[in-house]
Amino acid sequence: MAFITEKEELKPGLILFRRGDVDHRMWYCRMKMPKADRYKTVSLKTSDKEAARERAFDQDADLRFRIKHDVPVFNRPFRDVAHEYLLTQEARAKRGEISAVRPKKLRAVIEGTLDRYAGSTQVHLIGDERWGGYPAWRRENGAGRHRRNGVREITADAAQSFADHEAERRTKVQHTLGIRVLKPIEVKPSEERVVPFISDSTIRFEMSIFGAIMNYAVKKRYVPASQRFDERPKLKTMRRDEFTLEEYRKLHTVGRKWIGEADKPSSVWYRTVTYNMILIACNTGMRPAEMKNLRWRDIMPAKDREGREIVVLFVQGKGKSRKLVAPKSVGDYLERIRTISKATAPDDRVFTNITGKPAKTLYSSLIADLLNEANLREGTQGVPRSTYCFRHTYATLRLQEGVDVYFLAEQMGTSVHMIESHYGHVNTIKHADRVLQGMAGWELPQPDDTKAKASKAAETHDKGKRGQRHRPR
């Protein structure tokens, strides 16, 4: 290397040298990694040659100790490791292993809050204290979106800092969308000097990414296995906000009236499609991404074991695909959309705009208008409802009807644990008679003889069928 001066080989694989591209006269040593074509260079922090020789041998001994005991040799800032991890996730997205949106979410967190928290910290120095201190730091240095999380007072400087950060975020969004920013975007600081706390769900999501980066560092042997952080802090879990059965019926009624009040043909078209999309979402439990991807070829009529007409939908989203079943009424709602759509070929999307191009937002502004019209915009927790609430409505109503949680998890493309975590309150209400058993005025109902006999007969029949399936042929 051109910048190496006064080079001296202390032993094979260990050299002492000074740098010619710096002003100081400190000594450095460079050590060759055993059985690898890699080197490690260390500043010895002294200009005395004899002291430098002694420290060089100490560094060489330390290197060999680390290799022998499987201790990381190279120090890296958390920022570099996080970026390296992000590149692997972007590669996975290109291969179709994860959704294309996932790396964008990761980048926002990695280059945002995690970089401010630990970006310049050497990854091997991140321990339990640093890991466990993230929630408190995030609440103190972040601003949430909803006041339901509580609010805190901030200084004028902090208010200006949050405003500057928001302006920077908006500028990045404009660049991402390909929009030219002619003049700097300005955001005025809040005059109230209060901001909502960051929600626990946001902190939990960011820490899952934090943990994934540290696990990646362990896998790459940048840090020892003791720096794997699998445990998450016990934060509050927000219950999913759904529509009650009464609210769903109200939405149904107001939706029909809402369509009739449209004053232009294009408004009638959009309101009709939006209304039927809501009915489809509430009766299938599809995710918004799955509805965006739905094509006419993915819809197949079928019959159940009793000969009743049903609809089978092949849905794709979150990098996965599955088939779900829906009642015939869903087929009727889809047919209403097909009748007025300009995109009805097998490969065309079901949910489009009036010209036949795929709908990018799934009529989010129209949904907000309808929910405002029905006075259902905010849920019980004071949070504005979104398209995702229709999926939660489906899950809640199905559980209230006694659908087995395993079959529901299969239908919705999620895990039993996820359903039990977010919809456990439904079982408490459904089994109120058993929960309140023994209290004054509450008696567990006795089974009707006829129903009991029918139930026993059905159980015997099912057992017989299972035995036939497993009988060797």
Side-chain angles (χ1 to χ4, degrees):
M1 297 181 184
F3 63 83
I4 292 181
T5 63
E6 301 181 51
K7 178 180 175 181
E8 178 183 346
E9 184 176 27
L10 301 181
K11 71 171 194 173
L14 176 63
I15 65 169
L16 188 71
F17 67 94
R18 279 183 169 143
R19 296 177 63 116
D21 57 343
V22 294
D23 295 332
H24 61 74
R25 300 290 293 162
M26 298 296 181
W27 288 95
Y28 292 81
C29 73
R30 191 179 74 174
M31 301 163 283
K32 186 179 185 304
M33 297 280 291
K35 300 179 181 179
D37 189 22
R38 299 183 69 185
Y39 297 85
K40 183 178 181 180
T41 301
V42 179
S43 172
L44 300 174
K45 308 293 184 183
T46 181
S47 58
D48 181 83
K49 192 169 186 177
E50 289 303 317
R53 285 195 183 101
E54 187 175 332
R55 292 182 186 183
F57 282 111
D58 289 342
Q59 289 290 338
D60 183 67
D62 179 68
L63 173 69
R64 296 179 184 282
F65 175 86
R66 287 172 176 267
I67 293 173
K68 180 178 180 180
H69 295 278
D70 199 25
V71 177
V73 173
F74 295 97
N75 297 334
R76 287 176 170 81
F78 177 84
R79 180 182 295 117
D80 291 354
V81 178
H83 180 68
E84 190 176 325
Y85 167 77
L86 179 60
L87 293 178
T88 65
Q89 299 308 297
E90 289 176 343
R92 290 185 64 200
K94 288 180 180 178
R95 295 194 298 268
E97 296 176 7
I98 58 176
S99 68
V101 178
R102 179 71 177 175
K104 295 179 182 178
K105 294 181 178 179
L106 294 175
R107 181 178 291 277
V109 175
I110 288 171
E111 295 182 351
T113 55
L114 291 183
D115 187 74
R116 294 200 302 272
Y117 182 68
S120 60
T121 304
Q122 295 295 314
V123 69
H124 71 284
L125 297 178
I126 295 176
D128 292 332
E129 184 176 351
R130 189 76 165 171
W131 165 257
Y134 183 79
W137 176 90
R138 188 70 173 97
R139 291 190 183 101
E140 185 177 342
N141 294 275
R145 292 181 297 172
H146 305 300
R147 291 177 175 263
R148 64 178 169 79
N149 300 315
V151 297
R152 62 186 178 89
E153 294 185 6
I154 56 175
T155 63
D157 291 341
Q160 184 63 54
S161 176
F162 285 132
D164 293 342
H165 179 68
E166 177 63 18
E168 182 183 351
R169 186 192 68 82
R170 293 183 187 180
T171 303
K172 284 184 178 180
V173 170
Q174 297 285 341
H175 287 311
T176 302
L177 297 175
I179 301 173
R180 186 179 177 185
V181 181
L182 299 178
K183 61 179 182 179
I185 296 175
E186 294 184 3
V187 177
K188 293 183 179 180
S190 171
E191 295 181 358
E192 292 183 82
R193 301 286 169 79
V194 295
V195 295
F197 281 108
I198 294 290
S199 70
D200 289 346
S201 59
T202 297
I203 294 175
R204 187 180 293 105
F205 172 68
E206 292 171 354
M207 291 197 75
S208 70
I209 299 173
F210 193 177
I213 294 169
M214 294 304 298
N215 290 346
Y216 174 80
V218 171
K219 181 180 177 181
K220 297 293 288 186
R221 301 180 70 179
Y222 299 153
V223 296
S226 60
Q227 286 179 262
R228 182 189 298 275
F229 303 114
D230 293 324
E231 291 188 8
R232 303 285 183 268
K234 293 182 179 179
L235 303 172
K236 181 174 58 178
T237 300
M238 296 304 296
R239 184 168 69 82
R240 303 298 176 95
D241 214 351
E242 72 282 342
F243 295 92
T244 65
L245 184 57
E246 291 74 19
E247 288 175 330
Y248 173 67
R249 287 170 177 164
K250 182 180 180 181
L251 192 60
H252 220 313
T253 302
V254 174
R256 291 195 297 268
K257 181 183 176 183
W258 180 62
I259 295 172
E261 293 174 347
D263 56 356
K264 295 187 297 185
S266 60
S267 297
V268 173
W269 190 95
Y270 276 110
R271 291 187 180 191
T272 300
V273 174
T274 301
Y275 168 71
N276 283 283
M277 189 206 72
I278 290 173
L279 299 182
I280 292 167
C282 288
N283 284 275
T284 61
M286 277 193 287
R287 298 181 176 90
E290 293 168 345
M291 289 191 287
K292 280 185 182 180
N293 295 332
L294 189 67
R295 302 175 187 268
W296 291 111
R297 69 185 181 199
D298 300 328
I299 303 165
M300 297 155 282
K303 292 185 178 181
D304 66 3
R305 290 186 298 181
E306 305 297 329
R308 292 170 294 195
E309 293 184 12
I310 60 172
V311 177
V312 178
L313 304 176
F314 176 73
V315 298
Q316 303 175 76
K318 293 189 71 174
K320 300 177 183 178
S321 61
R322 71 183 190 285
K323 288 183 178 179
L324 61 82
V325 295
K328 181 182 179 297
S329 58
V330 169
D332 298 335
Y333 306 145
L334 288 163
E335 196 57 38
R336 292 177 193 171
I337 295 174
R338 190 199 295 265
T339 301
I340 63 174
S341 177
K342 290 187 178 180
T344 57
D347 287 338
D348 287 337
R349 302 289 176 90
V350 172
F351 300 107
T352 66
N353 60 25
I354 198 168
T355 64
K357 294 182 180 179
K360 293 183 179 180
T361 63
L362 282 183
Y363 327 110
S364 58
S365 61
L366 288 160
I367 290 173
D369 290 344
L370 176 55
L371 294 180
N372 285 328
E373 184 74 17
N375 197 26
L376 296 172
R377 183 74 170 111
E378 288 191 354
T380 55
Q381 302 181 70
V383 182
R385 283 169 164 146
S386 64
T387 309
Y388 224 95
C389 291
F390 304 132
R391 175 174 165 86
H392 305 326
T393 300
Y394 173 82
T396 302
L397 295 181
R398 292 295 83 218
L399 288 170
Q400 287 176 350
E401 292 295 329
V403 174
D404 185 273
V405 67
Y406 171 79
F407 293 122
L408 185 61
E410 287 287 310
Q411 167 85 349
M412 297 182 67
T414 188
S415 66
V416 172
H417 173 72
M418 182 64 71
I419 289 181
E420 290 176 341
S421 298
H422 292 289
Y423 304 104
H425 63 286
V426 178
N427 284 330
T428 302
I429 300 171
K430 184 174 69 176
H431 299 301
D433 55 344
R434 297 183 180 276
V435 173
L436 300 176
Q437 182 181 357
M439 297 183 69
W442 284 91
E443 296 295 339
L444 196 63
Q446 298 298 318
D448 181 74
D449 290 341
T450 305
K451 289 183 179 179
K453 289 178 181 178
S455 177
K456 188 173 181 180
E459 184 180 350
T460 304
H461 178 70
D462 287 343
K463 284 182 179 179
K465 281 203 165 186
R466 286 198 294 270
Q468 290 176 4
R469 285 199 298 268
H470 295 292
R471 189 177 300 161
R473 296 182 179 179

